Amino acid sequence: QVQLVESGGGLVQAGGSLRLSCAASGRTFSQYVMGWFRQAPGKEREFVAAISRSGGSTYYADSVKGRFTISRNNAENTVYLEMNSLEPEDTAVYYCAAGVIYIDYGDHRKYNYWGQGTQVTVSS
């Protein structure tokens, strides 16, 4: 069992930056692929980024590539999402997820554990 708690969301102007954190419980954090997803009102949950168990490989949605950076610290059981050049279209609830995954990192159905989400609002 893994419990995930996100933090770092908030209100920011377009062009600004935010850093999301996701703290995981348990001693098996390094066994999980970690992902970030987001969901805007009236829209489906959308893949944002994922990172491999060691942190050596990262994956991004085209919409955030070059602006967002995912990273992890296995010693501290934490995954981060650094978000720069934020746009109003990035407004959503952002969710952290953990999964035992080997393919399809962008498929939310592959992830086993989810956090409660943190709101990110980007004003124009």
Side-chain angles (χ1 to χ4, degrees):
Q1 188 76 11
V2 177
Q3 292 185 325
L4 304 172
V5 179
E6 301 99 334
S7 61
L11 173 64
V12 64
Q13 289 187 332
S17 299
L18 281 174
R19 188 193 198 201
L20 304 184
S21 300
C22 173
S25 66
R27 296 173 291 179
T28 59
F29 178 73
S30 62
Q31 298 180 13
Y32 293 95
V33 167
M34 299 300 298
W36 285 97
F37 291 78
R38 66 187 182 186
Q39 189 165 17
K43 295 187 177 181
E44 295 186 354
R45 192 162 295 193
E46 174 188 26
F47 169 71
V48 175
I51 189 166
S52 62
R53 292 164 183 78
S54 68
S57 297
T58 55
Y59 310 86
Y60 297 94
D62 288 343
S63 59
V64 307
K65 204 171 294 183
R67 300 188 298 123
F68 290 11
T69 302
I70 188 171
S71 61
R72 68 189 295 164
N73 185 327
N74 285 345
E76 296 185 354
N77 285 10
T78 304
V79 62
Y80 304 96
L81 185 68
E82 184 76 35
M83 306 186 294
N84 298 314
S85 301
L86 282 162
E87 304 167 352
E89 292 74 23
D90 296 316
T91 295
V93 177
Y94 282 71
Y95 297 91
C96 171
V100 180
I101 302 171
Y102 297 94
I103 58 173
D104 298 335
Y105 287 10
D107 186 348
H108 67 88
R109 297 168 297 181
K110 302 287 188 180
Y111 289 80
N112 307 98
Y113 304 103
W114 292 84
Q116 81 289 349
T118 185
Q119 177 70 47
V120 172
T121 302
V122 184
S123 63
S124 58

